[in-house]
């Protein structure tokens, strides 16, 4: 069985270093001329899948925008994940789960067990109950070739008040998360299956990402103000492992499939230049 790190490495080599988010904001539904209901949600998600799933390395549905519509929204999320994977995209479900270990095991089953209708290739998780509480997700991901992306330095301005706090050992909370994930990925080739989320908006914070040996998801580009030129300051020598992520910047180009593809080509060209 291929690991998630191997699959992601191959997908990026073939399709380029880009993740596009599927974030059906109410404002985007309106901009696309769609109703803010289950029919609008379904049309929006299906259009993005038809436009991009056969060409973008990673698609990242944002669970919140589907959950907003209750069980029928979750059903649309299920079909979005399935259709995206069938068309060849790696699906990273942005669901930011985190709980005590025994409950985390149930979340892991929901999103990383092949028996689940919500099964994705990878999920985002929050480490603020301790990185160790996420072990059930790490274990299930490893068993089934899945990946897990742990929030480390998020793109929102509020994140630093918690993530830059210095603990008893003199390290920041974020550096502790970074170091624990680095240990798991150590020595894995071509890339470990545990990733980190590090926002493109945060600037040079002095955190050391050099030992992560896993994918570094970089949201915050486009709508939140981050640009490809910001990536070097944030990631330094770890640029080669960065997976830039855009949602609204690309989605605002819809609903025409050709326009969505053109916007994707444009942002991909920009990040390729920045990543070198
Ligand atoms: O630190 C983080 C972690 C996750 N996100 C998510 O990424 C997208 C960003 O959307 P844009 O439209 O490109 O701003 C969204 O789903 C966030 O929840 C993040 O922005 N920052």
């Amino acid at each position: 069985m291929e690991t998630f790190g191997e699959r992601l490495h191959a997908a990026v080599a073939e399709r380029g270093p880009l993740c596009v988010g599927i974030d059906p904001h109410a404002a985007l539904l309106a901009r696309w001329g769609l109703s803010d209901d289950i029919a609008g949600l379904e049309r929006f998600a299906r259009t993005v899948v038809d436009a991009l799933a056969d060409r973008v390395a990673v698609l990242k549905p944002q669970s919140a925008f589907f959950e907003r519509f209750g069980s029928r929204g979750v059903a649309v999320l299920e079909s979005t994940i399935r259709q995206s994977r069938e068309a060849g995209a790696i699906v990273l479900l942005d669901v930011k789960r985190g709980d005590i270990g025994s409950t985390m095991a149930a979340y892991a089953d929901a999103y990383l067990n092949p028996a689940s209708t919500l099964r994705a290739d990878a999920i985002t998780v929050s480490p603020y109950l301790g990185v160790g509480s996420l072990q059930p997700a790490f274990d299930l991901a490893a068993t089934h070739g899945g990946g897990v992306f742990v929030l480390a330095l998020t793109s929102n301005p509020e994140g630093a008040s918690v993530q830059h706090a210095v603990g008893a050992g003199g390290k920041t909370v974020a550096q502790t998360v970074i170091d624990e994930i680095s240990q798991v990925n150590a020595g894995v080739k071509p890339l470990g299956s545990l990733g980190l989320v590090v926002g493109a908006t945060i600037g040079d914070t002095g955190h050391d990402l050099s030992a992560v040996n896993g994918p570094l998801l970089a949201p915050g580009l486009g709508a939140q103000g981050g640009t490809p030129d910001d990536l070097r300051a944030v990631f330094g020598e770890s640029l080669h492992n960065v997976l830039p992520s855009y949602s609204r910047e690309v989605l605002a180009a819809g609903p025409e499939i050709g326009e969505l593809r053109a916007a994707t080509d444009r942002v991909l060209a920009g990040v390729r230049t920045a990543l070198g």
Side-chain angles (χ1 to χ4, degrees):
M1 182 193 58
E2 270 189 316
T3 67
F4 177 75
E6 288 168 337
R7 291 195 291 131
L8 180 62
H9 191 261
V12 166
E14 189 189 327
R15 295 182 170 197
L18 185 66
C19 168
V20 175
I22 307 180
D23 292 40
H25 290 257
L28 283 171
L29 295 177
R31 187 180 171 124
W32 283 31
L34 297 172
S35 47
D36 187 17
D37 59 16
I38 200 74
L41 176 74
E42 199 157 20
R43 171 61 72 90
F44 184 98
R46 183 72 213 208
T47 302
V48 179
V49 171
D50 287 347
L52 304 183
D54 66 347
R55 60 199 63 218
V56 171
V58 181
L59 285 175
K60 183 174 74 68
Q62 171 51 260
S63 186
F65 292 112
F66 294 82
E67 292 176 46
R68 194 163 81 84
F69 295 98
S71 60
R72 297 177 71 199
V74 174
V76 176
L77 177 59
E78 288 174 343
S79 50
T80 302
I81 294 171
R82 192 188 63 251
Q83 290 157 2
S84 299
R85 298 184 81 225
E86 283 170 2
I90 286 180
V91 174
L92 165 57
L93 179 60
D94 197 346
V95 70
K96 297 189 184 70
R97 294 297 191 239
D99 210 316
I100 62 166
S102 52
T103 307
M104 193 60 219
Y107 281 132
D109 248 347
Y111 304 117
L112 296 168
N113 190 326
S116 168
T117 51
L118 276 169
R119 186 262 179 108
D121 295 287
I123 56 170
T124 55
V125 296
S126 170
Y128 297 110
L129 276 80
V131 174
S133 69
L134 302 172
Q135 194 61 43
F138 299 163
D139 291 344
L140 202 66
T143 301
H144 298 295
V148 179
F149 286 75
V150 183
L151 300 180
L153 290 156
T154 58
S155 66
N156 57 318
E158 304 85 0
S161 66
V162 173
Q163 295 152 15
H164 293 193
V166 177
K171 279 200 252 185
T172 66
V173 170
Q175 192 65 53
T176 303
V177 173
I178 294 164
D179 291 351
E180 290 196 39
I181 297 307
S182 303
Q183 277 177 23
V184 182
N185 284 337
V188 180
K189 288 191 169 51
L191 196 66
S193 294
L194 299 189
L196 292 174
V197 180
V198 177
T201 48
I202 63 171
D204 180 359
T205 62
H207 286 86
D208 181 6
L209 295 163
S210 61
V212 176
N213 191 35
L216 300 167
L217 181 78
L221 293 160
Q224 292 177 53
T227 71
D229 287 343
D230 295 326
L231 295 173
R232 181 163 290 280
V234 177
F235 294 99
E237 297 308 308
S238 303
L239 268 184
H240 56 287
N241 284 340
V242 173
L243 180 64
S245 184
Y246 286 87
S247 300
R248 283 168 288 180
E249 175 80 9
V250 168
L251 300 171
E256 296 306 323
I257 282 185
E259 297 296 325
L260 284 165
R261 289 178 176 168
T264 301
D265 291 346
R266 178 175 52 75
V267 296
L268 180 57
V271 298
R272 274 192 197 280
T273 303
L275 298 183

